[in-house]
Amino acid sequence: MARLEILKTYKIYIGGQFPRTESGRFYTPLDSKGNPLANVCLSSRKDFRNAVVAARKAFGSWSERAAFNRGQIIYRIAEMLEGRRAQFEEEIIKQGKSAKEAKQEVDLSIDRLVYYTGWCDKYQQVFSAVNPVASSHFNFSVLEPTGVVAVIAPQDSSLIGLVSTIIPIITGGNTVVVLASEKLPLCAITFAEVLNSSDVPAGIINILTGQESELLSHMGSHKDVNAILYASDHKENYFKLKKLASESVKRVYRTELNFMDESAENPFLITDFQEVKTTWHPIENIGGSSSNY
Amino acid sequence: MMNNKEIPDFRFTPTIDKVGVEERVARIQTKSIKGESKVQGMKMILNMIDLTTLEGKDTPGKVKQMCYKAQHLHSQYPDCPTVAAVCVYPSMVKIAKDALGNSNIKVASVSTAFPSGQAPMEVKLMDTRFAVEQGADEVDMVISRGKFLAGDYNFVYDEIAAIKDACGPARLKVILETGELVTLDNVRKASEIAMHAGADFIKTSTGKIQPAATMQVTYVMLMAIKDFHARTGKMIGMKPAGGISTSKLALHYLWMVKETLGDEWLSNEWFRFGASSLANDVLMQLMKSKEGVYQSSDYFSID
């Protein structure tokens, strides 16, 4: 007897839960032959707002967590992704790539998670500084996470672009609300299922699907978003975002990296979303310098 | 029909259809209030808040700061209403009273060995008299839940009546601590005992026990107030307290009051929210409707 295939419902990921969009809307991305891929949530500004609330709530405990433990958790994501690679490869193929390309993309995504695992307890050491000053002070600068970061993921990949943009941000102790690729959204939600079973606390990464054009202005204007990473490809949208973001003085970065390339393994993607705190500590004498040099 | 002056037999208070209450509340929660009515509602909510600090670590400085906030919720919002009252421990009443000066904001004091109520009668009376002497306009007492659950309704009734007596001109809010009353039937019964014994307000919770205020218990208490009003012609106020921290939820409470008791109850004389963090959420929503962008708590005073 013929069997009816059970099609997966792709829901969004907010605060460790998988709600449907509050708007009840969906869209149907197509594959290269014009066949529907799946029904996917068309997130609204309220979903975005809810996601920011979840990310803000999660920020305190994530940023204060021991760096080494953050690394352990990101490594765990890699482990879980490895275990479910077949599903990701299948989705990437469905979205128009060859089997070989799909395998390569999943391999690279896992490796990239491991790459940033290593940086978790090292970027502070590498990028913090002891500064020479002309007075009797021990003067040092350390990095602190910016806060809640909104990300518009690259449009041209389903998995590697998502992983490569959000993982450096959470490596640095920030929390993230990411809008997945509009045309290639399948892996994003499956990735949320991986996160959900990887010891990643609720709210650290929140994943929405939908239209950049609809959510862009809310991402830019929301006062509780501290920074934005724009990895999509509309230059005009980027400038619009920068203008809106200036109202609440938030950082906006744009990246055009090719995420399949090694250049995307880059600690500066971590430091982009760090603030520098400099402390002047009174001291008699340090490193041979005295107050009269 | 019962005689107005008679005290009813509390063993025969109506029982509550729990499933029915849940359905009614669920329907109220589907209500979406938008635009101009939302702004109006939120201003009303602000004006109904009893801004509360009830902690062992309360200091005069904390109370003064809260009193300042009570009067100046958010200066960036033009014509921002003030809250209805501040709610503090008896030892802080004088400080609050002085800090509020001749603003219209009332000072409410908890009493009767809040939050447990586990103290002898004389202590509870002294506690209450002290609060009133210090200048409290309102007294929030707790009922003896242990006695209530043991079925000693006379004790609970007499105690409320005695405290009401000690309150003098101050209005009395009776905290049922519904989180400890176990069933909605008990909530209804305790509401009736409190109202007949002289409560001016009935209040859900101390905020120290989970669950605190829920829409379900509030609905049951509102219905008790409605029936009491129908029977005696006397209006009783309602104060849900604890756990109401978002403006959306608070709007649903307002809607429920309007649906159950009508417009007469929609003022801070008859309805209050006991809350500490609700005010900021409402202010953020108000600013959102003014500016059109989502707000951050970084731009609002710490509460």
Side-chain angles (χ1 to χ4, degrees):
Chain A
M1 205 167 79
R3 184 178 166 278
L4 267 181
E5 194 189 351
I6 304 296
L7 277 178
K8 177 172 162 184
T9 307
Y10 286 83
K11 299 196 282 185
I12 52 181
Y13 187 55
I14 299 176
Q17 307 277 329
F18 289 93
R20 289 185 177 79
T21 163
E22 64 78 44
S23 65
R25 303 170 309 170
F26 65 96
Y27 72 105
T28 312
L30 306 175
D31 67 14
S32 54
K33 291 175 199 123
N35 302 313
L37 280 170
N39 289 335
V40 178
C41 290
L42 187 55
S43 304
S44 68
R45 65 184 168 89
K46 287 189 181 173
D47 296 315
F48 175 65
R49 176 199 62 188
N50 294 344
V52 172
V53 170
R56 175 59 62 196
K57 201 172 153 208
F59 175 68
S61 62
W62 182 244
S63 58
E64 284 164 19
R65 200 173 273 263
F68 183 70
N69 186 227
R70 280 208 300 269
Q72 288 174 309
I73 290 171
I74 293 173
Y75 189 79
R76 182 72 180 159
I77 305 174
E79 288 180 357
M80 300 306 281
L81 189 52
E82 183 80 64
R84 288 181 64 171
R85 58 177 310 140
Q87 191 182 357
F88 282 94
E89 284 180 26
E90 191 193 328
E91 281 175 346
I92 293 169
I93 294 166
K94 243 194 211 173
Q95 295 174 109
K97 290 202 175 167
S98 70
K100 192 180 158 211
E101 285 169 327
K103 182 178 179 303
Q104 198 191 357
E105 183 171 343
V106 175
D107 281 348
L108 203 52
S109 300
I110 297 166
D111 293 352
R112 196 141 295 166
L113 282 158
V114 175
Y115 173 81
Y116 284 109
T117 296
W119 271 115
C120 274
D121 58 356
K122 294 174 192 70
Y123 74 91
Q124 283 279 11
Q125 300 170 52
V126 174
F127 294 99
S128 295
V130 174
N131 315 309
V133 287
S135 63
S136 299
H137 288 92
F138 177 42
N139 182 290
F140 55 99
S141 300
V142 292
L143 302 182
E144 287 187 346
T146 301
V148 174
V149 181
V151 177
I152 297 183
Q155 287 298 318
D156 55 6
S157 78
S158 191
L159 182 64
I160 187 69
L162 183 86
V163 169
S164 307
T165 48
I166 63 180
I167 296 304
I169 296 172
I170 68 159
T171 294
N174 300 287
T175 55
V176 166
V177 179
V178 57
L179 177 65
S181 166
E182 187 180 332
K183 292 187 207 94
L184 310 170
L186 300 192
C187 292
I189 300 305
T190 309
F191 187 64
E193 291 165 12
V194 167
L195 296 174
N196 199 244
S197 52
S198 308
D199 308 335
V200 181
I204 308 300
I205 299 174
N206 304 276
I207 302 181
L208 305 177
T209 50
Q211 290 170 338
E212 177 182 329
S213 56
E214 182 184 353
L215 294 178
L216 188 86
S217 64
H218 301 288
M219 288 185 159
S221 65
H222 198 311
K223 286 184 165 179
D224 212 23
V225 172
N226 300 104
I228 301 174
L229 175 60
Y230 187 79
S232 180
D233 41 19
H234 302 279
K235 231 176 181 165
E236 271 171 38
N237 278 355
Y238 170 64
F239 289 119
K240 193 175 159 195
L241 206 53
K242 283 201 90 157
K243 200 174 159 196
L244 285 164
S246 66
E247 287 288 320
S248 49
V249 213
K250 60 172 80 78
R251 296 176 195 286
V252 183
Y253 286 101
R254 176 161 178 240
T255 174
E256 287 180 308
L257 289 170
N258 171 11
F259 291 109
M260 293 299 287
D261 188 75
E262 245 185 28
S263 63
E265 288 185 356
N266 187 339
F268 293 104
L269 294 174
I270 305 171
T271 56
D272 277 351
F273 298 96
Q274 299 289 311
E275 308 294 329
V276 179
K277 184 167 86 181
T278 294
T279 304
W280 296 69
H281 188 77
I283 198 168
E284 241 172 63
N285 191 309
I286 183 164
S289 71
S290 60
S291 56
N292 59 357
Y293 81 93
Chain B
M1 235 0 223
M2 191 187 54
N3 186 318
N4 280 355
K5 282 164 195 129
E6 223 173 77
I7 301 166
D9 185 336
F10 294 117
R11 287 173 303 173
F12 302 117
T13 51
T15 54
I16 303 298
D17 169 9
K18 187 163 176 279
V19 174
V21 168
E22 270 160 16
E23 279 181 5
R24 183 78 187 96
V25 167
R27 224 173 310 143
I28 290 167
Q29 284 185 307
T30 61
K31 180 80 186 164
S32 180
I33 300 162
K34 301 222 183 281
E36 194 49 38
S37 350
K38 183 176 173 187
V39 171
Q40 193 108 35
M42 287 191 298
K43 285 184 181 171
M44 191 180 262
I45 290 165
L46 285 179
N47 195 233
M48 285 172 165
I49 288 175
D50 282 6
L51 207 56
T52 303
T53 182
L54 295 169
E55 285 172 20
K57 65 180 184 196
D58 284 349
T59 59
K62 166 84 198 282
V63 171
K64 281 180 200 161
Q65 182 229 338
M66 190 179 75
C67 290
Y68 184 86
K69 174 155 187 173
Q71 299 170 79
H72 310 91
L73 280 172
H74 194 59
S75 47
Q76 285 88 327
Y77 192 83
D79 303 319
C80 194
T82 65
V83 299
V86 297
C87 184
V88 293
Y89 272 116
S91 58
M92 296 292 168
V93 168
K94 182 124 190 10
I95 292 150
K97 199 71 193 163
D98 291 346
L100 290 169
N102 47 14
S103 68
N104 283 325
I105 300 166
K106 305 252 192 303
V107 176
S109 170
V110 295
S111 84
T112 67
F114 180 94
S116 72
Q118 298 283 18
M121 191 62 192
E122 305 87 78
V123 174
K124 294 185 182 181
L125 285 169
M126 265 175 63
D127 200 15
T128 308
R129 287 198 198 102
F130 175 77
V132 176
E133 276 164 25
Q134 294 282 300
D137 304 295
E138 299 169 357
V139 169
D140 291 26
M141 72 168 286
V142 290
I143 66 166
S144 297
R145 283 87 75 191
K147 291 283 187 189
F148 177 88
L149 292 171
D152 198 346
Y153 305 141
N154 286 345
F155 181 93
V156 176
Y157 183 99
D158 291 345
E159 192 176 60
I160 297 169
I163 299 294
K164 170 70 183 167
D165 212 37
C167 280
R171 287 179 94 193
L172 176 65
K173 306 195 195 98
V174 178
I175 303 170
L176 309 181
E177 194 63 299
T178 52
E180 291 185 338
L181 295 186
V182 190
T183 65
L184 290 179
D185 287 352
N186 281 344
V187 171
R188 169 77 190 209
K189 203 187 295 282
S191 305
E192 295 217 354
I193 293 172
M195 290 186 293
H196 280 280
D200 296 302
F201 260 86
I202 50 177
K203 172 175 168 184
T204 57
S205 327
T206 59
K208 305 291 181 195
I209 296 283
Q210 289 302 326
T214 64
M215 288 195 75
Q216 286 80 357
V217 298
T218 307
Y219 182 72
V220 170
M221 290 165 75
L222 290 171
M223 285 306 287
I225 291 172
K226 184 180 180 168
D227 291 346
F228 184 79
H229 180 248
R231 210 182 296 153
T232 66
K234 199 178 158 208
M235 281 173 81
I236 304 288
M238 174 71 208
K239 177 177 172 184
I244 306 168
S245 55
T246 66
S247 47
K248 188 177 177 186
L249 182 57
L251 279 169
H252 284 147
Y253 273 90
L254 269 196
W255 181 251
M256 184 161 72
V257 174
K258 187 181 159 66
E259 287 277 282
T260 317
L261 296 174
D263 291 350
E264 269 181 289
W265 263 265
L266 286 182
S267 81
N268 66 19
E269 206 187 339
W270 301 110
F271 191 75
R272 297 280 179 82
F273 290 104
S276 50
S277 57
L278 174 62
N280 267 13
D281 192 71
V282 176
L283 289 168
M284 279 164 72
Q285 293 297 319
L286 276 175
M287 287 304 282
K288 155 79 170 61
S289 42
K290 182 167 167 267
E291 292 184 348
V293 302
Y294 289 120
Q295 303 290 309
S296 160
S297 59
D298 291 352
Y299 299 81
F300 294 81
S301 61
I302 294 166
D303 51 11

